[in-house]
């Protein structure tokens, strides 16, 4: 197996095309990272809305059919 670059500095220089290569990497990795962050944020918002809705439904049900307390 051959190593494509002789040193780390050659790797980062990308044969003289470093600006274009790393710009392309940035334009790929940054949106993907933002997509992951946005997806996690939306998931938390959705779960909070579900919890809020379930609590609202439970309160409405309890108000319509209150439980009777046993008095002794």
């Amino acid at each position: 197996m051959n190593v494509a670059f002789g040193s780390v500095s050659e790797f980062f220089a990308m044969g003289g095309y470093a600006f274009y290569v790393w710009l392309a990497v940035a334009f790929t990795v940054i949106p993907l990272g933002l997509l992951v962050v946005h997806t996690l944020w939306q998931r938390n918002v959705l779960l909070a809305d579900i919890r809020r809705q379930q609590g609202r439904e439970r309160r409405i049900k309890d108000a319509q059919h209150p439980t009777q307390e046993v008095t002794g």
Side-chain angles (χ1 to χ4, degrees), residues 51-63:
R51 282 191 295 272
R52 193 175 306 116
Q53 179 67 27
Q54 287 175 341
R56 185 178 306 121
E57 290 172 358
R58 186 178 61 250
R59 287 189 303 275
I60 290 171
K61 182 180 175 185
D62 290 344

Side-chain angles (χ1 to χ4, degrees), residues 42-72:
Q42 285 295 102
R43 178 183 181 270
N44 289 336
V45 169
L46 178 62
L47 291 176
D49 286 343
I50 290 170
R51 282 191 295 272
R52 193 175 306 116
Q53 179 67 27
Q54 287 175 341
R56 185 178 306 121
E57 290 172 358
R58 186 178 61 250
R59 287 189 303 275
I60 290 171
K61 182 180 175 185
D62 290 344
Q64 291 173 348
H65 305 289
T67 57
Q68 295 178 354
E69 293 183 18
V70 177
T71 57

Side-chain angles (χ1 to χ4, degrees), residues 1-69:
M1 178 174 203
N2 293 336
V3 178
F5 300 100
S7 68
V8 175
S9 62
E10 286 181 26
F11 171 75
F12 286 112
M14 290 286 168
Y17 296 102
F19 176 76
Y20 304 105
V21 171
W22 295 115
L23 190 62
V25 169
F27 275 111
T28 302
V29 172
I30 291 171
L32 288 175
L34 292 173
L35 180 62
V36 168
V37 169
H38 182 263
T39 301
L40 293 174
W41 176 67
Q42 285 295 102
R43 178 183 181 270
N44 289 336
V45 169
L46 178 62
L47 291 176
D49 286 343
I50 290 170
R51 282 191 295 272
R52 193 175 306 116
Q53 179 67 27
Q54 287 175 341
R56 185 178 306 121
E57 290 172 358
R58 186 178 61 250
R59 287 189 303 275
I60 290 171
K61 182 180 175 185
D62 290 344
Q64 291 173 348
H65 305 289
T67 57
Q68 295 178 354
E69 293 183 18

